[in-house]
Amino acid sequence: MSAVAIIIVSYNTREHLKNCVHSLHNPAPDVTHKIVIVDNGSVDGSADTVRARWPDVTVIDAKRNVGYASANNLGIRHTQEELILLLNSDTIVPPGALDALVRRLRDLPDVAAVGPGLHDGLGRPELSFGRMIGPVNELIQKGKGIALAHKLPVLGTRVLTALTRPGYHDWVSGACLLVRRADAERVGLLDERFFLYGEDVDFCAALRATGRRIFFAPEIQIVHHRGQSGAAKPEQTRAAYRRSHLTFYEKHHPAWTPLLRLYLKLLGRLPK
């Protein structure tokens, strides 16, 4: 049996998916691994392209778009490996990155999951960790994101500095997240009430609730071309985000949910 199951959820991202899978083959990681693509009912030929080009890759056809959490769980249940890498289809894994991520996790016995540093194709870093989402922390996180994107003096520099420091955080991004199977199964895998967005923060919260820790390893770098699955249907993607946002608050901050609903209603953004 391989050491790592690499689970990639695909939804109409054929070209990015091809680049992602290519990066996992040229060169292949030293650690033994199995690549599983879960296709969420793509109509762009994603699944057939992978089957034809990489026969060693397992492709699971979900038949329809079951959502990110459900699709990941399909892939996880199809595998038995000790470690599970949740990997977005719009990522590129540089040579040695997966091996380094595995070493990092194995060196930290108290850690359930580890996430690398993420940056886009131009080398711009992504704010891919943070404190548990809540009314205050969410505003702080958005402020940090704005400061980073616009390179604001002082605050932008602080955020950039934080992105170079390894350490423990409440969550790391699900775009590339390596987790121990034992820990993932202990919490019942990802919560399938989350269709798109928020599932990674919720998953990390569940892992921490068992006494385990989450680690950010910025010295390991992954390329992430963000938002590709939702690019073709932006309004549907925004609606899915809002539904997941409400689901997150209903689960973790129920007292705040009516205010969030009212806020979205006043903006005309309350999802059906």
Side-chain angles (χ1 to χ4, degrees), residues 83-94:
L83 304 177
I84 300 162
L85 180 70
L86 305 183
L87 186 67
N88 275 21
S89 62
D90 56 1
T91 58
I92 300 292
V93 181

Side-chain angles (χ1 to χ4, degrees), residues 98-228:
L98 178 56
D99 297 310
L101 207 57
V102 169
R103 286 194 298 270
R104 192 56 139 151
L105 182 57
R106 287 178 170 167
D107 286 344
L108 299 168
D110 62 333
V111 167
V114 60
L118 301 178
H119 61 84
D120 66 15
L122 298 176
R124 294 173 297 196
E126 177 181 332
L127 185 54
S128 56
F129 64 85
R131 299 187 66 180
M132 179 60 176
I133 287 178
V136 175
N137 288 338
E138 193 169 4
L139 289 173
I140 293 173
Q141 188 77 1
K142 287 181 178 179
K144 289 180 178 179
I146 291 169
L148 180 65
H150 295 280
K151 300 179 181 180
L152 299 183
V154 184
L155 183 54
T157 303
R158 280 182 163 181
V159 176
L160 274 174
T161 301
L163 288 170
T164 66
R165 292 175 177 166
Y168 298 98
H169 295 278
D170 287 350
W171 60 269
V172 291
S173 171
C176 182
L177 184 153
L178 183 68
V179 62
R180 301 179 197 271
R181 177 176 296 275
D183 289 307
E185 292 181 344
R186 187 175 296 117
V187 301
L189 307 185
L190 283 76
D191 188 336
E192 297 185 6
R193 286 177 289 180
F194 295 93
F195 186 84
L196 185 66
Y197 301 116
E199 65 286 311
D200 48 1
V201 181
D202 175 78
F203 185 49
C204 288
L207 294 170
R208 288 188 296 103
T210 67
R212 306 287 280 157
R213 307 182 80 180
I214 309 298
F215 194 83
F216 174 63
E219 74 280 7
I220 306 165
Q221 291 285 309
I222 300 291
V223 179
H224 182 208
H225 301 285
R226 301 178 64 182
Q228 297 306 309

Side-chain angles (χ1 to χ4, degrees), residues 3-4 29-33 98-99 102 106:
V4 183
D30 291 332
V31 64
T32 57
H33 59 281
L98 178 56
D99 297 310
V102 169
R106 287 178 170 167

Side-chain angles (χ1 to χ4, degrees), residues 21 24-25 28 33-37 50-59:
V21 178
L24 291 167
H25 283 83
H33 59 281
K34 176 179 182 177
I35 303 174
V36 176
I37 309 295
V50 172
R51 287 190 183 100
R53 190 164 178 177
W54 294 283
D56 61 304
V57 174
T58 298
V59 179

